[in-house]
Coordinates of all heavy atoms in Angstrom, one line a residue:
G106 N 2.0 6.1 96.0 CA 3.3 5.5 95.8 C 3.5 4.3 96.7 O 3.9 3.2 96.3
D107 N 3.1 4.4 98.0 CA 3.3 3.4 98.9 C 1.9 2.6 99.1 O 1.0 3.2 99.6 CB 3.7 3.9 100.3 CG 4.1 2.8 101.3 OD1 3.7 1.7 101.1 OD2 4.7 3.2 102.3
L108 N 2.0 1.4 98.7 CA 0.7 0.6 98.7 C 0.2 0.3 100.1 O -0.9 -0.1 100.3 CB 1.0 -0.7 97.9 CG 1.3 -0.6 96.4 CD1 1.8 -2.0 95.9 CD2 0.2 0.0 95.6
L109 N 1.1 0.5 101.1 CA 0.7 0.3 102.5 C 0.0 1.5 103.0 O -0.6 1.5 104.1 CB 1.9 0.0 103.4 CG 2.7 -1.2 102.9 CD1 3.8 -1.5 103.9 CD2 1.9 -2.5 102.6
G110 N 0.0 2.7 102.3 CA -0.6 3.9 102.7 C -2.0 4.1 102.1 O -2.5 3.2 101.4
E111 N -2.5 5.3 102.3 CA -3.9 5.6 101.9 C -3.9 6.8 100.9 O -5.0 7.2 100.6 CB -4.7 5.9 103.1 CG -4.6 4.9 104.2 CD -6.0 4.4 104.7 OE1 -6.7 5.3 105.2 OE2 -6.3 3.2 104.6
E112 N -2.8 7.2 100.6 CA -2.7 8.4 99.6 C -3.4 8.1 98.3 O -3.6 6.9 97.9 CB -1.2 8.5 99.3 CG -0.6 9.9 99.3 CD 0.8 9.8 98.7 OE1 1.5 8.8 98.7 OE2 1.2 10.9 98.1
G113 N -3.8 9.1 97.6 CA -4.4 8.9 96.3 C -5.8 8.3 96.3 O -6.5 8.4 97.3
R114 N -6.1 7.8 95.2 CA -7.5 7.3 95.0 C -7.5 5.9 94.4 O -6.6 5.5 93.6 CB -8.2 8.2 93.9 CG -8.6 9.5 94.5 CD -9.6 10.1 93.6 NE -9.0 10.8 92.4 CZ -9.7 11.2 91.4 NH1 -11.0 10.9 91.2 NH2 -9.0 11.8 90.4
E115 N -8.5 5.1 94.8 CA -8.8 3.8 94.2 C -10.0 4.0 93.3 O -11.1 4.3 93.8 CB -9.1 2.8 95.3 CG -7.9 2.6 96.2 CD -8.0 1.4 97.1 OE1 -9.0 0.6 96.9 OE2 -7.2 1.3 98.0
I116 N -9.8 3.8 92.0 CA -10.9 4.1 91.1 C -11.3 2.8 90.4 O -10.5 2.1 89.7 CB -10.4 5.1 90.0 CG1 -9.8 6.4 90.7 CG2 -11.5 5.5 89.1 CD1 -9.3 7.4 89.8
P117 N -12.6 2.5 90.5 CA -13.1 1.3 89.8 C -13.0 1.4 88.3 O -13.0 2.5 87.8 CB -14.6 1.2 90.2 CG -14.7 2.0 91.5 CD -13.7 3.1 91.3
V118 N -12.8 0.3 87.7 CA -12.6 0.2 86.2 C -14.0 0.0 85.6 O -14.8 -0.9 86.0 CB -11.7 -0.9 85.8 CG1 -11.7 -1.1 84.3 CG2 -10.3 -0.6 86.3
R119 N -14.4 0.9 84.7 CA -15.7 0.8 84.1 C -15.8 -0.1 82.9 O -16.7 -0.8 82.7 CB -16.2 2.2 83.7 CG -17.7 2.2 83.2 CD -18.2 3.6 83.0 NE -17.6 4.1 81.8 CZ -17.5 5.4 81.5 NH1 -17.9 6.3 82.4 NH2 -16.9 5.8 80.5
A120 N -14.7 -0.1 82.1 CA -14.7 -1.0 80.9 C -13.3 -1.4 80.7 O -12.3 -0.7 81.0 CB -15.2 -0.2 79.7
V121 N -13.1 -2.6 80.1 CA -11.8 -3.2 79.8 C -11.9 -3.6 78.3 O -12.8 -4.3 77.9 CB -11.6 -4.5 80.6 CG1 -10.3 -5.1 80.2 CG2 -11.5 -4.1 82.1
R122 N -10.9 -3.1 77.5 CA -10.8 -3.6 76.2 C -9.5 -4.2 76.0 O -8.4 -3.6 76.1 CB -11.0 -2.4 75.2 CG -12.4 -2.0 74.9 CD -12.5 -0.8 74.1 NE -12.0 0.4 74.8 CZ -11.6 1.6 74.3 NH1 -11.6 1.7 73.0 NH2 -11.2 2.6 75.0
V123 N -9.5 -5.5 75.8 CA -8.2 -6.3 75.6 C -8.0 -6.3 74.1 O -8.9 -6.6 73.3 CB -8.3 -7.7 76.2 CG1 -7.1 -8.5 75.8 CG2 -8.6 -7.7 77.7
N124 N -6.8 -5.9 73.7 CA -6.5 -6.0 72.3 C -6.9 -7.3 71.6 O -6.3 -8.3 72.0 CB -5.0 -5.7 72.1 CG -4.5 -5.8 70.7 OD1 -5.3 -5.8 69.8 ND2 -3.2 -5.8 70.5
P125 N -7.8 -7.3 70.7 CA -8.3 -8.6 70.1 C -7.1 -9.3 69.4 O -7.2 -10.5 69.2 CB -9.4 -8.2 69.2 CG -9.3 -6.7 69.0 CD -8.5 -6.1 70.2
A126 N -6.1 -8.5 69.0 CA -5.0 -9.1 68.2 C -3.9 -9.7 69.2 O -2.9 -10.2 68.7 CB -4.4 -8.1 67.3
Y127 N -4.1 -9.5 70.5 CA -3.1 -10.1 71.4 C -3.0 -11.6 71.2 O -3.9 -12.3 71.2 CB -3.5 -9.8 72.9 CG -2.7 -10.5 73.9 CD1 -1.3 -10.4 74.0 CD2 -3.4 -11.4 74.8 CE1 -0.6 -11.1 74.9 CE2 -2.6 -12.1 75.8 CZ -1.2 -11.9 75.8 OH -0.5 -12.6 76.7
D128 N -1.7 -12.0 71.1 CA -1.4 -13.4 70.9 C -0.6 -13.9 72.1 O 0.6 -13.5 72.3 CB -0.5 -13.5 69.6 CG -0.1 -14.9 69.3 OD1 -0.1 -15.8 70.2 OD2 0.3 -15.1 68.1
S129 N -1.2 -14.7 72.9 CA -0.6 -15.1 74.2 C 0.6 -16.1 73.9 O 1.3 -16.4 74.8 CB -1.6 -15.7 75.1 OG -2.2 -16.9 74.5
Y130 N 0.7 -16.6 72.7 CA 1.8 -17.5 72.4 C 3.1 -16.7 72.1 O 4.1 -16.9 72.7 CB 1.5 -18.4 71.2 CG 2.6 -19.4 71.0 CD1 2.8 -20.5 71.9 CD2 3.5 -19.3 69.9 CE1 3.9 -21.3 71.7 CE2 4.6 -20.1 69.7 CZ 4.7 -21.2 70.6 OH 5.8 -22.0 70.5
T131 N 3.0 -15.7 71.2 CA 4.2 -14.9 70.9 C 4.3 -13.7 71.9 O 5.3 -13.1 72.0 CB 4.1 -14.3 69.5 OG1 2.9 -13.5 69.4 CG2 4.1 -15.4 68.4
N132 N 3.2 -13.3 72.5 CA 3.1 -12.1 73.4 C 2.9 -10.9 72.5 O 2.9 -9.8 73.0 CB 4.2 -11.9 74.3 CG 4.4 -13.0 75.4 OD1 3.4 -13.4 75.9 ND2 5.6 -13.4 75.6
A133 N 2.6 -11.0 71.2 CA 2.4 -9.8 70.4 C 1.2 -9.1 70.8 O 0.2 -9.7 71.1 CB 2.3 -10.3 68.9
G134 N 1.3 -7.8 70.7 CA 0.1 -6.9 70.9 C -0.4 -7.0 72.4 O -1.6 -6.9 72.6
D135 N 0.6 -7.0 73.3 CA 0.2 -7.2 74.7 C -0.3 -5.9 75.3 O 0.5 -5.2 76.0 CB 1.5 -7.7 75.5 CG 1.1 -8.2 76.9 OD1 0.0 -8.2 77.3 OD2 2.1 -8.5 77.6
L136 N -1.5 -5.6 75.0 CA -2.0 -4.2 75.4 C -3.5 -4.3 75.7 O -4.3 -5.0 75.0 CB -1.8 -3.3 74.2 CG -2.3 -1.9 74.5 CD1 -1.1 -0.9 74.5 CD2 -3.3 -1.5 73.4
A137 N -3.9 -3.6 76.7 CA -5.4 -3.5 77.0 C -5.6 -2.0 77.4 O -4.7 -1.3 77.9 CB -5.8 -4.4 78.1
V138 N -6.8 -1.6 77.2 CA -7.2 -0.2 77.5 C -8.3 -0.3 78.6 O -9.3 -1.0 78.4 CB -7.8 0.5 76.3 CG1 -8.1 2.0 76.6 CG2 -6.8 0.5 75.2
L139 N -8.1 0.4 79.7 CA -9.1 0.5 80.8 C -9.7 1.8 80.8 O -9.0 2.9 80.7 CB -8.4 0.3 82.2 CG -7.4 -0.9 82.3 CD1 -6.8 -1.0 83.7 CD2 -8.2 -2.2 82.0
T140 N -11.0 1.9 81.0 CA -11.7 3.1 81.2 C -12.1 3.2 82.6 O -12.7 2.3 83.2 CB -13.0 3.2 80.3 OG1 -12.6 2.9 78.9 CG2 -13.6 4.6 80.3
L141 N -11.8 4.4 83.2 CA -12.1 4.6 84.6 C -13.5 5.2 84.9 O -14.0 5.8 84.0 CB -11.0 5.5 85.2 CG -9.6 5.2 85.0 CD1 -8.6 6.2 85.6 CD2 -9.3 3.8 85.5
T142 N -14.0 5.0 86.1 CA -15.3 5.5 86.4 C -15.2 7.0 86.7 O -16.3 7.7 86.7 CB -16.0 4.8 87.5 OG1 -15.1 4.8 88.6 CG2 -16.3 3.3 87.2
E143 N -14.0 7.5 87.0 CA -13.9 8.9 87.4 C -12.6 9.4 86.7 O -11.6 8.6 86.7 CB -13.6 9.1 88.9 CG -14.6 8.6 89.8 CD -14.0 8.5 91.2 OE1 -13.0 9.2 91.5 OE2 -14.5 7.7 92.0
P144 N -12.6 10.6 86.2 CA -11.3 11.1 85.6 C -10.3 11.5 86.6 O -10.5 11.9 87.7 CB -11.8 12.4 84.8 CG -13.0 12.8 85.6 CD -13.7 11.6 86.2
L145 N -9.0 11.4 86.1 CA -7.9 11.8 86.9 C -7.5 13.3 86.4 O -8.0 13.7 85.4 CB -6.7 10.9 86.6 CG -6.9 9.5 87.2 CD1 -5.9 8.5 86.6 CD2 -6.7 9.6 88.7
P146 N -6.7 14.0 87.2 CA -6.3 15.3 86.8 C -5.5 15.2 85.5 O -4.8 14.3 85.2 CB -5.4 15.8 87.9 CG -5.6 14.9 89.0 CD -6.1 13.6 88.5
A147 N -5.6 16.3 84.7 CA -4.9 16.3 83.4 C -3.4 16.2 83.6 O -2.7 15.7 82.8 CB -5.2 17.6 82.6
S148 N -2.9 16.6 84.8 CA -1.5 16.6 85.1 C -1.0 15.2 85.3 O 0.2 14.9 85.3 CB -1.2 17.4 86.3 OG -2.0 17.0 87.4
S149 N -1.9 14.2 85.4 CA -1.5 12.8 85.5 C -1.3 12.1 84.2 O -0.8 11.0 84.2 CB -2.6 12.0 86.3 OG -2.7 12.5 87.6
V150 N -1.7 12.8 83.1 CA -1.6 12.1 81.8 C -0.2 12.2 81.2 O 0.3 13.3 81.2 CB -2.7 12.8 80.9 CG1 -2.6 12.2 79.5 CG2 -4.1 12.6 81.4
I151 N 0.3 11.1 80.7 CA 1.5 11.2 79.9 C 1.3 11.0 78.4 O 0.4 10.3 78.0 CB 2.6 10.1 80.4 CG1 3.9 10.3 79.7 CG2 2.1 8.7 80.2 CD1 5.1 9.6 80.4
R152 N 2.0 11.7 77.7 CA 1.9 11.7 76.2 C 2.6 10.4 75.7 O 3.6 10.0 76.1 CB 2.6 12.9 75.6 CG 2.4 13.1 74.1 CD 2.4 14.6 73.8 NE 3.8 15.1 73.8 CZ 4.6 15.0 72.7 NH1 4.2 14.5 71.6 NH2 5.8 15.6 72.8
M153 N 2.0 9.8 74.7 CA 2.6 8.7 74.0 C 3.5 9.1 72.9 O 3.1 10.0 72.2 CB 1.5 7.7 73.5 CG 0.8 7.0 74.6 SD -0.3 5.7 73.8 CE -1.5 6.7 73.1
A154 N 4.5 8.4 72.7 CA 5.4 8.6 71.6 C 4.8 8.0 70.3 O 4.3 6.9 70.4 CB 6.8 8.0 71.8
G155 N 4.7 8.8 69.3 CA 4.2 8.3 68.0 C 5.2 7.5 67.3 O 6.4 7.5 67.7
S156 N 4.8 6.8 66.2 CA 5.8 6.0 65.5 C 6.8 7.0 64.9 O 6.5 8.1 64.4 CB 5.1 5.2 64.4 OG 4.3 5.9 63.7
G157 N 8.1 6.6 64.9 CA 9.1 7.4 64.3 C 9.7 8.4 65.3 O 10.6 9.2 65.0
D158 N 9.1 8.4 66.5 CA 9.6 9.3 67.6 C 11.1 9.0 67.9 O 11.4 7.8 68.0 CB 8.7 9.2 68.8 CG 9.0 10.2 69.9 OD1 10.1 10.4 70.4 OD2 8.0 10.9 70.3
A159 N 11.9 10.0 68.1 CA 13.3 9.8 68.4 C 13.5 9.0 69.7 O 14.6 8.4 69.9 CB 14.0 11.2 68.5
A160 N 12.5 9.0 70.6 CA 12.6 8.3 71.9 C 12.8 6.8 71.7 O 13.2 6.1 72.6 CB 11.5 8.6 72.8
Y161 N 12.4 6.3 70.5 CA 12.6 4.8 70.2 C 14.0 4.4 69.7 O 14.2 3.2 69.5 CB 11.6 4.4 69.2 CG 10.1 4.3 69.6 CD1 9.2 5.3 69.2 CD2 9.7 3.4 70.5 CE1 7.9 5.2 69.7 CE2 8.4 3.3 71.0 CZ 7.5 4.2 70.5 OH 6.2 4.2 71.0
R162 N 14.8 5.4 69.5 CA 16.1 5.1 68.9 C 17.0 4.3 69.8 O 17.1 4.6 71.0 CB 16.8 6.5 68.6 CG 17.5 6.5 67.3 CD 18.1 7.9 67.0 NE 17.1 8.7 66.3 CZ 17.2 10.1 66.4 NH1 18.0 10.7 67.2 NH2 16.3 10.7 65.7
P163 N 17.6 3.3 69.4 CA 18.5 2.5 70.2 C 19.6 3.4 70.9 O 20.1 4.3 70.2 CB 19.1 1.5 69.3 CG 18.1 1.3 68.2 CD 17.5 2.7 68.0
G164 N 19.8 3.1 72.1 CA 20.8 3.9 72.9 C 20.1 4.9 73.7 O 20.7 5.5 74.6
T165 N 18.8 5.2 73.5 CA 18.1 6.2 74.3 C 17.9 5.7 75.7 O 17.6 4.6 76.0 CB 16.7 6.4 73.7 OG1 16.9 6.9 72.3 CG2 15.9 7.5 74.4
D166 N 18.1 6.6 76.7 CA 17.9 6.3 78.1 C 16.4 6.3 78.4 O 15.7 7.2 77.9 CB 18.5 7.4 79.0 CG 20.0 7.1 79.2 OD1 20.4 5.9 79.2 OD2 20.8 8.1 79.4
A167 N 16.0 5.3 79.1 CA 14.5 5.2 79.4 C 14.4 4.8 80.9 O 15.4 4.4 81.5 CB 13.9 4.2 78.5
V168 N 13.2 5.0 81.5 CA 13.0 4.7 82.9 C 11.7 3.8 82.9 O 10.7 4.2 82.3 CB 12.9 5.9 83.8 CG1 12.6 5.5 85.2 CG2 14.2 6.8 83.7
V169 N 11.8 2.7 83.7 CA 10.6 1.9 83.9 C 10.2 1.9 85.3 O 11.1 2.0 86.2 CB 10.9 0.4 83.3 CG1 12.1 -0.2 84.0 CG2 9.6 -0.4 83.5
Y170 N 8.9 2.0 85.6 CA 8.4 2.2 86.9 C 7.5 1.0 87.3 O 6.7 0.5 86.5 CB 7.5 3.4 86.9 CG 8.2 4.7 86.5 CD1 8.4 5.0 85.2 CD2 8.6 5.6 87.5 CE1 9.1 6.2 84.9 CE2 9.3 6.7 87.2 CZ 9.5 7.0 85.9 OH 10.2 8.2 85.6
G171 N 7.6 0.6 88.6 CA 6.7 -0.4 89.0 C 6.8 -0.8 90.5 O 7.8 -0.4 91.2
W172 N 5.9 -1.7 90.9 CA 5.9 -2.2 92.3 C 6.2 -3.7 92.3 O 5.9 -4.4 93.2 CB 4.5 -2.0 92.9 CG 4.0 -0.6 93.2 CD1 4.2 0.0 94.4 CD2 3.3 0.3 92.4 NE1 3.7 1.3 94.3 CE2 3.1 1.5 93.1 CE3 2.9 0.2 91.0 CZ2 2.5 2.6 92.6 CZ3 2.2 1.4 90.5 CH2 2.0 2.5 91.3
G173 N 6.9 -4.1 91.2 CA 7.1 -5.5 91.0 C 8.3 -6.1 91.9 O 8.9 -5.4 92.7
D174 N 8.6 -7.3 91.5 CA 9.7 -8.1 92.2 C 11.0 -7.3 92.1 O 11.4 -7.0 91.0 CB 9.7 -9.4 91.5 CG 10.6 -10.5 92.2 OD1 11.4 -10.1 93.1 OD2 10.4 -11.7 91.9
T175 N 11.7 -7.1 93.2 CA 12.9 -6.4 93.2 C 14.2 -7.3 93.1 O 15.3 -6.8 93.0 CB 13.1 -5.4 94.4 OG1 13.0 -6.2 95.6 CG2 11.9 -4.4 94.4
T176 N 14.0 -8.6 93.2 CA 15.2 -9.5 93.2 C 15.1 -10.6 92.2 O 16.0 -11.3 92.0 CB 15.4 -10.1 94.6 OG1 14.2 -10.9 94.9 CG2 15.5 -9.0 95.7
G177 N 13.9 -10.8 91.7 CA 13.6 -12.0 90.9 C 13.3 -13.2 91.8 O 13.0 -14.3 91.3
G178 N 13.2 -13.0 93.1 CA 12.9 -14.1 94.0 C 11.6 -13.9 94.7 O 11.4 -14.5 95.8

Side-chain angles (χ1 to χ4, degrees):
D107 188 344
L108 297 171
L109 307 184
E111 309 227 303
E112 223 192 334
R114 282 197 279 167
E115 298 190 7
I116 306 178
V118 172
R119 189 174 66 203
V121 176
R122 279 175 290 161
V123 175
N124 178 11
Y127 168 58
D128 179 342
S129 63
Y130 185 72
T131 60
N132 296 320
D135 191 8
L136 181 116
V138 183
L139 309 179
T140 306
L141 307 180
T142 55
E143 303 161 24
L145 290 163
S148 56
S149 298
V150 175
I151 188 165
R152 188 152 75 85
M153 286 191 290
S156 51
D158 192 303
Y161 287 109
R162 219 175 271 154
T165 302
D166 276 329
V168 179
V169 56
Y170 298 83
W172 290 269
D174 191 344
T175 61
T176 63

